[in-house]
Amino acid sequence: MAAAGGRCWLVWAAAAAFVLALEATFVEDLDDSFKDDRKDDIWLVDFYAPWCGHCKKLEPIWNEVGIEIRRSGSPIKVGKMDATSYSSIASEFGVRGYPTIKLLKGDLAYNYRGPRTKDDIIEFANRVSGPLIRTLPSQQMFEHVQKRHRVLFLYVGGESPLKEKYIEVASELIVYTYFFSASEDVLPKYMTLPELPAVVVFKDGTYFVFDEYEDGDLSSWINRERFQGYLNVDWFTLYELGDTGKLVAIAIIDDKNSSSEHTRLKSVVQEVAKDYRDHFHRNFQFGHMDGNDYINSLLMDDLAIPTVVVLNTSNQQYFLPDRHIENTEDLVQFINDILDGTAEAQGGDGFLQRIKRIIYDAKSTVVKQNPDVILNICCVNVCMYGEVSLIL
Ligand SMILES: *[C@@H]1O[C@H](CO)[C@@H](O)[C@H](O)[C@H]1NC(C)=O
């Protein structure tokens, strides 16, 4: 009996070793030779440090990423590199913290800085490795894609200077969003475009057309419009919103508190985001945040919730209402006070810097010598360095 059990165990162990060996082949261990060997392929690489706890946490996820990408028949190759052993190569690829996830495609290195989950990483890899512009050949296809994207950018028309610009913008912003194109007959009948060619964004149950005269350059318009009008804001979203230079108006609430004040304030912000979009959307992003711990550490304040706070991501100041926000009129008044300069700004001491600091301070494995130089930072959930870079 014992012998049989032992044999069973042996068989199991052999099978497990076999499975492990199989898994290992889905993620290639990269070394010096990678620099020259990689050129003909698209690579998704985890640059890690053996001592970094967040790298260890990523490892099983990374194996799953390798398995799933292989299984899907994708041409993307998945690898990992000990960036402490091959630090000069890692720095050529622009690695400045651990773990760093990059998709390498020709001369470009695309940084992944979203949540480190299998699905998010694979979605990123497929998006960035695929065509810059995806053509939607039929109305059915358009409807299918529209259902799957809360924010969808679409170029409508034939070849044009605007299309060239669109492609150029896509090569940079594909790290954030997809770029589609279609001919006019693919669009739903309810749409009327003032002229062709056009760039349109579909979101919040409607669509908006890019207007070169009103909206400035295409790249900053896409950067501003790539968020839904109303968001559930977490610290990562807030950091991303920093790139847009917008004021961020958020209801700070406690989702679990059953008092109607919390849900009411949230609805007030939602309503203003929707009904006053034309007035405010160029300058404001709306949303809510659950709980005040994060915002308190950010502003070094002690906010009683529910409340509304408006953060200025370009000069790092913030505004608190001087009255109770009971309805949309109150909030609109508060926002207008900010716009005309009568609301009193507070702070101004760099809360975006503080977001970074909070992120770095929150971890134990950090070895911080000169964070601006290289390779000393083990990032918590996401790293936040440049999005796309040329490989040296
Ligand atoms: C719920 O929110 C109200 C304010 O609207 C507050 O007075 C109350 O203490 C909160 N309850 C809990 C359990 O936090």
Side-chain angles (χ1 to χ4, degrees), residues 176-296:
Y176 294 127
T177 184
Y178 285 92
F179 290 83
F180 294 97
S181 83
S183 65
E184 196 186 14
D185 49 329
V186 160
L187 296 178
K189 296 287 166 277
Y190 69 83
M191 279 184 71
T192 44
L193 293 175
E195 59 177 353
L196 287 181
V199 179
V200 186
V201 61
F202 296 84
K203 64 176 190 180
D204 303 332
T206 177
Y207 68 93
F208 307 99
V209 184
F210 168 66
D211 177 335
E212 202 174 347
Y213 298 99
E214 295 228 333
D215 297 321
D217 74 290
L218 184 61
S219 166
S220 38
W221 180 75
I222 288 176
N223 208 23
R224 286 199 307 272
E225 294 293 341
R226 65 191 170 86
F227 299 94
Q228 290 173 277
Y230 183 90
L231 294 171
N232 183 350
V233 179
D234 57 17
W235 63 263
F236 178 63
T237 317
L238 197 55
Y239 185 85
E240 275 203 301
L241 285 167
D243 293 347
T244 67
K246 284 190 186 187
L247 291 140
V248 186
I250 30 186
I252 313 292
I253 57 166
D254 176 0
D255 260 341
K256 288 180 287 296
N257 189 315
S258 52
S259 146
S260 62
E261 277 186 62
H262 294 259
T263 43
R264 205 202 41 242
L265 195 61
K266 191 169 150 182
S267 322
V268 166
V269 176
Q270 255 162 343
E271 265 171 60
V272 171
K274 188 158 169 281
D275 299 349
Y276 292 81
R277 176 185 148 98
D278 286 351
H279 293 84
F280 297 142
H281 88 278
R282 285 195 177 76
N283 301 313
F284 286 87
Q285 172 68 49
F286 294 92
H288 75 270
M289 191 180 258
D290 183 22
N292 60 352
D293 292 348
Y294 173 62
I295 202 84
N296 280 344

Side-chain angles (χ1 to χ4, degrees), residues 45-73:
V45 181
D46 164 24
F47 295 89
Y48 68 96
W51 48 262
C52 153
H54 292 286
C55 301
K56 292 192 185 105
K57 242 168 83 182
L58 177 61
E59 205 177 323
I61 299 167
W62 201 249
N63 287 334
E64 285 175 35
V65 168
I67 291 170
E68 188 152 327
I69 284 185
R70 177 72 64 86
R71 211 176 264 160
S72 72

Side-chain angles (χ1 to χ4, degrees), residues 55-350:
C55 301
K56 292 192 185 105
K57 242 168 83 182
L58 177 61
E59 205 177 323
I61 299 167
W62 201 249
N63 287 334
E64 285 175 35
V65 168
I67 291 170
E68 188 152 327
I69 284 185
R70 177 72 64 86
R71 211 176 264 160
S72 72
S74 158
I76 302 169
K77 294 190 164 184
V78 181
K80 61 177 178 183
M81 179 181 280
D82 177 348
T84 60
S85 299
Y86 306 106
S87 58
S88 71
I89 298 183
S91 67
E92 278 181 50
F93 287 119
V95 174
R96 286 192 280 168
Y98 307 120
T100 290
I101 296 172
K102 280 178 188 274
L103 187 123
L104 309 169
K105 183 182 170 188
D107 289 338
L108 294 175
Y110 293 90
N111 248 26
Y112 178 71
R113 57 172 215 181
R116 293 198 196 113
T117 65
K118 184 188 79 180
D119 290 348
D120 286 312
I121 294 168
I122 289 175
E123 196 272 341
F124 162 83
N126 288 336
R127 170 157 37 85
V128 172
S129 65
L132 277 182
I133 312 292
R134 289 157 212 250
T135 307
L136 301 175
S138 65
Q139 197 163 348
Q140 263 167 316
M141 195 65 177
F142 170 79
E143 281 162 15
H144 173 74
V145 165
Q146 198 187 12
K147 274 192 211 113
R148 297 168 57 125
H149 296 264
R150 280 179 285 203
V151 177
L152 187 156
F153 289 100
L154 182 72
Y155 172 87
V156 188
E159 299 306 315
S160 73
L162 182 63
K163 182 156 192 189
E164 280 164 37
K165 185 79 201 153
Y166 187 68
I167 295 170
E168 191 187 313
V169 172
S171 70
E172 191 187 330
L173 298 184
I174 192 137
V175 287
Y176 294 127
T177 184
Y178 285 92
F179 290 83
F180 294 97
S181 83
S183 65
E184 196 186 14
D185 49 329
V186 160
L187 296 178
K189 296 287 166 277
Y190 69 83
M191 279 184 71
T192 44
L193 293 175
E195 59 177 353
L196 287 181
V199 179
V200 186
V201 61
F202 296 84
K203 64 176 190 180
D204 303 332
T206 177
Y207 68 93
F208 307 99
V209 184
F210 168 66
D211 177 335
E212 202 174 347
Y213 298 99
E214 295 228 333
D215 297 321
D217 74 290
L218 184 61
S219 166
S220 38
W221 180 75
I222 288 176
N223 208 23
R224 286 199 307 272
E225 294 293 341
R226 65 191 170 86
F227 299 94
Q228 290 173 277
Y230 183 90
L231 294 171
N232 183 350
V233 179
D234 57 17
W235 63 263
F236 178 63
T237 317
L238 197 55
Y239 185 85
E240 275 203 301
L241 285 167
D243 293 347
T244 67
K246 284 190 186 187
L247 291 140
V248 186
I250 30 186
I252 313 292
I253 57 166
D254 176 0
D255 260 341
K256 288 180 287 296
N257 189 315
S258 52
S259 146
S260 62
E261 277 186 62
H262 294 259
T263 43
R264 205 202 41 242
L265 195 61
K266 191 169 150 182
S267 322
V268 166
V269 176
Q270 255 162 343
E271 265 171 60
V272 171
K274 188 158 169 281
D275 299 349
Y276 292 81
R277 176 185 148 98
D278 286 351
H279 293 84
F280 297 142
H281 88 278
R282 285 195 177 76
N283 301 313
F284 286 87
Q285 172 68 49
F286 294 92
H288 75 270
M289 191 180 258
D290 183 22
N292 60 352
D293 292 348
Y294 173 62
I295 202 84
N296 280 344
S297 55
L298 194 59
L299 305 181
M300 294 184 180
D301 205 332
D302 190 13
L303 304 183
I305 57 175
T307 187
V308 171
V309 54
V310 176
L311 306 168
N312 185 335
T313 57
S314 55
N315 69 5
Q316 323 274 300
Q317 293 181 325
Y318 65 100
F319 301 87
L320 295 169
D322 59 358
R323 83 210 78 184
H324 189 64
I325 305 262
E326 189 68 35
N327 49 39
T328 54
E329 286 75 44
D330 293 336
L331 184 57
V332 169
Q333 182 62 51
F334 174 43
I335 288 173
N336 281 328
D337 289 350
I338 294 171
L339 284 175
D340 67 23
T342 51
E344 200 189 327
Q346 313 192 34
D349 49 353

